[in-house]
Amino acid sequence: MPFGTKADATPSNAPSGAATGSGANAGKEQRVTKQRVAVSTALDDLDDFVSTQELYRILQNKGVSVSLATAYRILQSLADDGLVDVLRNGEGEAVYRRCAVTGHHHHLLCRNCGKAVEVEAPAVETWAARTAAEHGYTEVAHTVEIFGLCPDCTLLRAAGKL
């Protein structure tokens, strides 16, 4: 199954790991623990999507004491609060990323290295709204992710190194 399941992200200006008043957990205070801050800070340092297990390894390599189960819970909480985007990779595993773009957006994703580029697609938004209206649908949502090879991986493939 390709990437595709996405939670819309609405990043907050709140400090990393802070509780917010938006998202599915609106009104639910999140305890700011050292583990939550460490997970949030690690996400701030990454440019591409990362699985929970990859993030766990990064934290372990930095000497951060956090269990894998806790990392899963924190990432899910951040996703529920709209502080990170969530996609499904080719194996169906959830991957997470703190996105710079606020509001609804889409991604260009490299099938090889995982590099992600945030894109806005007004034509897609217009098409989705028109298609839903033509069929009488309301309160619609959609996910569009575009997959290919990034420029670096394209060069590697051309050189026979991929």
Side-chain angles (χ1 to χ4, degrees):
M1 174 172 71
F3 280 87
T5 304
K6 177 182 174 196
D8 285 338
T10 308
S12 166
N13 291 333
S16 295
T20 68
S22 64
N25 288 333
K28 181 180 176 187
E29 282 293 316
Q30 296 293 324
R31 266 188 34 211
V32 180
T33 63
K34 65 181 182 176
Q35 291 90 352
R36 186 173 172 90
V37 170
V39 167
S40 190
T41 300
L43 286 170
D44 289 341
D45 294 340
L46 298 172
D47 291 327
D48 296 324
F49 283 89
V50 64
S51 71
T52 306
Q53 297 216 1
E54 290 168 318
L55 185 63
Y56 173 75
R57 281 191 289 277
I58 290 167
L59 292 168
Q60 295 299 301
N61 289 340
K62 290 182 177 183
V64 175
S65 177
V66 59
S67 72
L68 183 58
T70 298
Y72 273 106
R73 281 193 301 276
I74 292 169
L75 285 169
Q76 186 58 56
S77 171
L78 291 171
D80 290 346
D81 288 345
L83 298 173
V84 295
D85 271 358
V86 183
L87 304 175
R88 297 275 173 193
N89 66 16
E91 293 79 42
E93 180 180 31
V95 290
Y96 302 85
R97 179 177 185 224
R98 174 121 38 224
C99 290
V101 174
T102 59
H104 183 74
H105 62 280
H106 306 283
H107 297 98
L108 285 168
L109 298 160
C110 181
R111 286 189 308 262
N112 182 60
C113 71
K115 178 180 180 177
V117 177
E118 296 165 0
V119 294
E120 294 185 27
V124 169
E125 307 310 318
T126 301
W127 170 82
R130 185 182 70 241
T131 301
E134 286 172 2
H135 295 277
Y137 280 66
T138 63
E139 299 183 36
V140 295
H142 67 272
T143 301
V144 176
E145 309 304 337
I146 304 168
F147 300 89
L149 292 178
C150 70
D152 292 338
C153 290
T154 298
L155 289 174
L156 288 173
R157 166 134 318 151
K161 297 179 181 179
L162 179 64

